[in-house]
Every structure is written in structure tokens, then in C-alpha cells.
Amino acid sequence: MNRIRKAGVLSALPIVVALSACDILTVRDPGRYDNEDLDDALDAVANTVEGSGQDYVDWYVLWQSLLSDVYMSTGWYTTTFGIVDEGRSHYGTYPTSQENFVYSSFKRNFPDGMTAHRWFARESWDRLKRVLLTEAEVNSDVRSVQVLLGDALLDMYLGLFSCEGPLEKSPSPMAADIQIYHKAAETFSRVMELVPNVDPEVLEKRPDYMNAARTGRALMLMLMEDYDAAAAEAAAVPDGFSYDALHTTSTWLQNNAVVVYSTNYARNAGLMPWLWDRIEEGYSSTYIKDLMDPVDVAEYDMRMPALKRPFSLGYDGETPHYSQMKYELRDDPIPMLHSDHARLIEAEAKVKSGDYAGATAILNKLRSRVDLRPIDVPTNEEDMMEFLLNERFAELFMEGYRAVDLYRYDLTLDLFDGFEDPVRPGAGRPTKFPGSSREAQLNPEIENERTIRCEPVA
């Protein structure tokens, strides 16, 4: 994809807080410091908030891939991987409730983790306003940009993952995912307003906050079905841009979990059988063949690196293990917001307006970058949507968007029924993760009753 990757200045998570009188400390709970400590460590607070927006992205990719038709469990069926893969993940079960004591000793379940980080982000925004004192200072400080961007990213991923979540601190009611998208879009807009006020020399060595916010806003608008506005934002994103979730190998919790649990480490998850014929066995990494052509004539699609070593089995010792290879090392970054996704948003907006030729031109330009043949302009909606969704699968491979696409286009039932796999039937399969039952247990404004909580199934 040849994107320009700009490494950020923040440390990879877990949360890092650097106090002025100390060396950098790895801290799970910033609350152990008092207000005066944090007031004197605004750089660390801002880095922590921006980093918190990246903390769960690897797990987001794993869970979304298992929920969709990208990944299957290749470990024991009783683990969370098996439960999600087989469609047995429902309200009150991990990864949307309880804690994760199996895969990472300190990880909250996904929606609770997002929510907890958001509260720290919003408290940090209040802290900046209190310590910096003047509105002009707040609106021109790069730390304000970091805090608001982290807040927007947390809303974005919460909305992508769960069908509902709280918008404000308890006591507060649950909000639908589209309301969460709306809140994220507003916060991304605020980031875009502040970036021009920041000293360019300060921004020079930072990630591209403006285009991160612009791409995030475009994505939220698209999911809210405001396609014209989404396309306008996306069109302003330059080619080559990428804002990534960073990882390190310094501690287990900072590793890229997609690598740890799906390559040559634990091998708890692997690519679904419908992709196996498109991957040739060998001892070195190859690619999945182009989804737009029959297997026997398809070219390799370099957007989807994969590997199937001869005799390689999953952790269960039985299931053939076909691995993604987009991420090979435990410190590999994961793209969160990037220009290729912006181009896909533009293409989808054109599909919605009936401009199939315009959409095809955009998609073929993306294909040309990886030396794939151009596709003729589809003449009907069914073929156009197949082309769009296949290109989204390839461009966003292992970035956690396939489950979102299946959900919003109501494809889960037919797709999984078509697999004719009794272990993974379409009927009753979750199409999106529910909200947190733990939030409902602790928040007096939410009734903890499964029948009235959102739990979309096919």
C-alpha cells in the first residue's frame, strides 16, 4: 500500500505516565496519582490519552475477525476465541463483559476498557482547561489535540465494536452506536479546528493529527449514512497518509496481540476455510489471491499477506493453520486511519449515488497500486456491491472492518448459511457485539435486562 508511516512520540500502551520528578513509569491506573501530580505532568497525561486510543486496537482486530468470515478459532473451542468464532458470544460473556484473565491479566473487556479510557480522556480535557487557564492556550496546545483525538478514537472503536454504550459518566443511559458515531464525529471536528492553531514546529515530529481526524470524521459520517459529507472529508485526505496503533516488545501487554495469537506463537486463530484455496502452501509468506477472480486464474493480492506452512496446525493440534502475515513481528503497528480507507469511503459514496463508473475508477486505482487487473464497470447493484465489499476486504485486511460491513449490509445470515458449517450456522449468530452487561450492573440509569439490551443477531 506504500503508505507513509509516521511514528508517534507516545509510548505504546499499557498506559504510561511520566512524572516530572521520576523516570517514565509504566502505570495501569493513573488514578493512583493525585491531581497535583497529574497537573505537573501534562505531557504524560496527553501522551497517555492519545495512547489509550490505541490500547485495544489489536484485540479489536482479533475479536472482529473472529466474529466475521475472516478468522476462525484454531484453539480449544471452550476459549473465548472459540466462543466468538462459533457465534456463542452473547450479552454477559467476554469480550463484552467480565474481565480477561486468560489472554491478558490486566485487560478489561472491550467496551468497559473503551469506556474507562474515555473517562480519563475527558477528565484530562478538564485538567488541561484548568491548568492552562486561558481559552487561547487550550486551543493552541498540541496536548489538547492529543487528548481530543484520543477521546474521538475511543468513541469510534466503541461504536464500531458494540451496538450501544454510555456517552457520559454513570449515572447515564445507554446510547445507540449511531449516537456514539455522532459524538466521535463532533470530537474529530474539534481536533480539526485546533490543529491549525498549534505551532507548526511542535507538530513537525508528531503524527498527522489533521488527516487522522479528517479520516475518522469521514468514517463516522459514512456509518451515519451521510455519504456526501463523508466523501467531502475523505477527498481531502492525501494519498500516503496513515495513523497507526503502535506496539513494542518491552512487555507482554505491549505486544501486537494479532501476531501473538495468530501467527507462529500461540496459533489460536487462523484464516477461514473459504480462503484456503487462495493460499498456496510454502515455507515463506505469500498472499491471498485476488477475490475478484476465480482461484485458478487469480493473481496474488499483495494487500493480503498470508502463510500456510506444510503440516502447520493450530493450537488444538487438529485444525490446519493458515496465518495472516500483515503483521509478523510483535511490535508491528496496526493501521487505524489511512488514505486507502478514505478512498474506499469516496468509492462507497459514489456507489450510493449511482455513480458506478466513478466508484470503479477509484477502486481500480487502488488495485493498480498492487498490480491487479482493472475491473469493468459493473452494470447492476449486486455486482457493484460485490466489487466494493471485496475491495474493502482486501484494503482493510486484518484491520477489523469486515464484521462492520457484514452488519451494516445485513449479510451475516446468508454468508454463514452458505458455508454449510454446522459449527458456525448463520441463524442466531451475533452480527455485532452487544454492550457491556457490567456497565448495566453498575450504572443505575441502565436496566440490566438482556431482553431490552441490544444484542443484534442474524
Side-chain angles (χ1 to χ4, degrees), residues 333-361:
I334 296 177
M336 299 169 66
L337 299 164
H338 52 81
S339 57
D340 292 348
H341 201 166
R343 303 292 85 82
L344 290 168
I345 292 169
E346 290 183 86
E348 186 163 340
K350 288 185 181 297
V351 172
K352 292 296 182 180
S353 70
D355 182 4
Y356 294 176
T360 299

Side-chain angles (χ1 to χ4, degrees), residues 81-97:
F81 279 44
I83 291 170
V84 175
D85 168 36
E86 296 178 11
R88 295 181 284 122
S89 157
H90 293 285
Y91 185 71
T93 65
Y94 194 84
T96 59
S97 193

Side-chain angles (χ1 to χ4, degrees), residues 292-310:
M292 289 303 296
D293 281 330
V295 173
D296 57 346
V297 299
E299 298 291 328
Y300 290 118
D301 189 334
M302 291 183 289
R303 298 170 294 185
M304 299 184 287
L307 173 66
K308 172 59 171 81
R309 288 179 173 165

Side-chain angles (χ1 to χ4, degrees), residues 80-257:
T80 305
F81 279 44
I83 291 170
V84 175
D85 168 36
E86 296 178 11
R88 295 181 284 122
S89 157
H90 293 285
Y91 185 71
T93 65
Y94 194 84
T96 59
S97 193
Q98 307 166 20
E99 302 297 313
N100 185 350
F101 296 110
V102 177
Y103 300 109
S104 181
S105 300
F106 300 102
K107 282 286 187 186
R108 297 180 178 93
N109 68 72
F110 194 93
D112 286 353
M114 294 293 97
T115 300
H117 282 324
R118 285 192 306 166
W119 303 154
F120 182 66
R122 290 166 193 181
E123 288 175 355
S124 298
W125 176 246
D126 291 338
R127 185 180 310 282
L128 285 171
K129 291 192 292 184
R130 185 180 72 250
V131 174
L132 296 177
L133 298 179
T134 71
E135 184 176 355
E137 286 180 291
V138 173
N139 291 341
S140 61
D141 197 301
V142 70
R143 293 167 296 192
S144 298
V145 172
Q146 288 180 272
V147 167
L148 289 176
L149 180 63
D151 189 3
L153 291 170
L154 291 163
D155 272 332
M156 180 183 88
Y157 278 113
L158 177 61
L160 290 168
F161 190 83
S162 291
C163 55
E164 63 180 3
L167 283 178
E168 305 296 340
K169 269 192 172 183
S170 177
S172 62
M174 281 286 197
D177 52 8
I178 194 167
Q179 294 172 285
I180 300 173
Y181 295 151
H182 184 81
K183 180 69 167 61
E186 288 183 338
T187 311
F188 281 129
S189 295
R190 185 69 176 132
V191 173
M192 293 165 62
E193 292 172 2
L194 295 192
V195 169
N197 302 332
V198 179
D199 184 343
E201 291 187 7
V202 174
L203 288 175
E204 186 177 1
K205 296 182 180 180
R206 302 275 178 153
D208 188 344
Y209 293 136
M210 175 61 84
N211 283 309
R214 181 173 280 130
T215 309
R217 176 170 165 77
L219 175 59
M220 297 297 94
L221 290 169
M222 183 189 78
L223 295 175
M224 293 158 59
E225 300 187 359
D226 187 350
Y227 287 100
D228 289 343
E233 292 289 8
V237 177
D239 286 344
F241 158 72
S242 186
Y243 178 91
D244 303 337
L246 307 180
H247 301 91
T248 78
T249 58
S250 57
T251 73
W252 188 255
L253 290 174
Q254 292 172 304
N255 291 180
N256 181 333

